[in-house]
């Protein structure tokens, strides 16, 4: 098994797992559904460093994952660099106010499909210390103002944080991914892909507690087969 994981094609494995999960996503559009009537879907995209694994040159393995609203990772790619990542979870009582402004885009942006530009201002106040911070976030979207107004965009942006809780946090705590010493060739990426499959398959059954779902499946060897549609 170790040699298989080291030599497997990472792109092919991620594509196969992503396609399997996407085909079973309850929010996926059906082939007979009119394109205009299909709900607008969002993907939360974020990177995660596999901290326990290093390549021969000493660099970490960095994986960029795309998650649907229901929780499965339907796409993953290994990338070279990273510009932003949330790696620490802070449990602090705080107040937060968000203001969202949108503007139609006619030209001048280096995003050919952008139709709206978005500014989000987040004002956070820590209840215990009283410290106030301001954060400005800018984004673009190909949705028109009729397809997504400011409240709708704010909702979609807020949903993006779900990838930290539903994917990264589960990988780190339940699967102890950061402690993994798997590092040779494509094995780190293959293991991450298999974790995505396990997490996504459980979420598609309605399981929100992945650790409890793994324990339940571990008590009966037929359950994993049934969950993955193998009979």
């Amino acid at each position: 098994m170790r040699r298989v994981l080291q030599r497997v094609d990472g792109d092919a494995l991620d594509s196969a797992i992503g396609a399997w999960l996407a085909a079973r996503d309850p929010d996926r559009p059906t082939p007979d559904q009119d394109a205009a009537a299909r709900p607008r879907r969002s993907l939360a995209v974020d990177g995660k460093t596999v901290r326990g694994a290093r390549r021969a040159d000493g660099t970490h393995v960095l994986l960029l994952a795309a998650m649907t609203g229901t929780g499965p990772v339907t796409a993953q790619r290994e990338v070279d660099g990273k510009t932003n990542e949330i790696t620490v979870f802070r449990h602090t009582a705080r107040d937060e106010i968000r203001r969202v402004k949108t503007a139609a885009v006619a030209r001048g942006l280096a995003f050919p499909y952008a139709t709206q530009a978005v500014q989000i201002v987040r004002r956070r106040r820590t209840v215990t210390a009283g410290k106030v911070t301001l954060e400005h976030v800018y984004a673009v979207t190909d949705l028109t103002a009729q397809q997504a107004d400011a409240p709708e965009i704010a909702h979609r942006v807020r949903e993006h944080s779900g990838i930290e809780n539903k994917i990264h946090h589960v990988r780190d705590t339940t699967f102890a991914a950061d402690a993994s010493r798997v590092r040779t060739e494509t094995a780190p990426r293959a293991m991450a892909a298999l974790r995505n499959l396990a997490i996504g398959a459980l979420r598609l059954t309605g399981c929100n507690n992945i650790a409890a779902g793994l324990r339940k499946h571990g008590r009966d060897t037929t359950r994993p087969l049934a969950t993955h549609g193998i009979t």
Side-chain angles (χ1 to χ4, degrees):
M1 178 61 70
R2 176 174 57 85
R3 292 181 179 178
V4 172
L5 293 176
Q6 291 172 350
R7 299 176 182 178
V8 70
D9 185 321
D11 286 339
L13 181 61
D14 276 323
S15 295
I17 290 176
W20 188 90
L21 292 171
R24 290 158 178 78
D25 191 331
D27 290 343
R28 72 189 186 282
T30 58
D32 58 343
Q33 191 175 20
D34 182 70
R38 293 177 181 176
R40 304 285 176 177
R41 305 177 69 201
S42 297
L43 291 174
V45 179
D46 197 22
K48 181 71 172 68
T49 300
V50 185
R51 297 195 178 278
R54 291 179 182 269
R55 303 184 184 91
D57 60 0
T59 59
H60 289 293
V61 176
L62 176 64
L63 300 174
L64 191 68
M67 183 194 75
T68 70
T70 53
V73 172
T74 55
Q76 179 173 266
R77 288 293 180 269
E78 184 172 342
V79 293
D80 294 330
K82 186 167 174 57
T83 58
N84 184 28
E85 183 180 5
I86 300 171
T87 57
V88 179
F89 285 83
R90 294 180 176 87
H91 300 275
T92 305
R94 69 185 184 190
D95 296 327
E96 180 171 314
I97 298 174
R98 299 187 180 196
R99 293 185 174 89
V100 180
K101 296 180 180 179
T102 62
V105 175
R107 61 184 181 276
L109 291 182
F111 298 91
Y113 299 104
T115 58
Q116 289 193 89
V118 183
Q119 180 196 59
I120 303 172
V121 180
R122 299 184 178 120
R123 181 185 183 276
R124 299 187 179 98
R125 182 181 69 88
T126 305
V127 175
T128 53
K131 181 180 179 181
V132 176
T133 60
L134 286 175
E135 180 185 23
H136 292 76
V137 178
Y138 297 91
V140 293
T141 177
D142 62 350
L143 298 177
T144 66
Q146 290 71 34
Q147 294 170 329
D149 56 12
E152 173 67 14
I153 290 175
H155 171 70
R156 291 176 183 244
V157 170
R158 193 170 185 85
E159 279 190 331
H160 182 272
S161 63
I163 195 170
E164 287 286 340
N165 300 324
K166 293 182 178 180
I167 300 299
H168 298 337
H169 186 59
V170 174
R171 286 179 180 173
D172 292 343
T173 57
T174 303
F175 290 95
D178 280 350
S180 174
R181 306 303 295 176
V182 176
R183 65 180 69 182
T184 308
E185 300 180 41
T186 59
R189 179 175 176 180
M191 288 299 298
L194 294 175
R195 294 184 192 108
N196 289 341
L197 175 60
I199 295 169
L202 287 172
R203 292 208 185 279
L204 290 176
T205 66
C207 177
N208 292 320
N209 188 323
I210 301 302
L214 291 174
R215 290 193 296 269
K216 178 180 178 180
H217 281 64
R219 292 192 292 268
D220 185 345
T221 56
T222 64
R223 284 177 181 154
L225 298 177
T227 297
H228 289 86
I230 301 174
T231 56

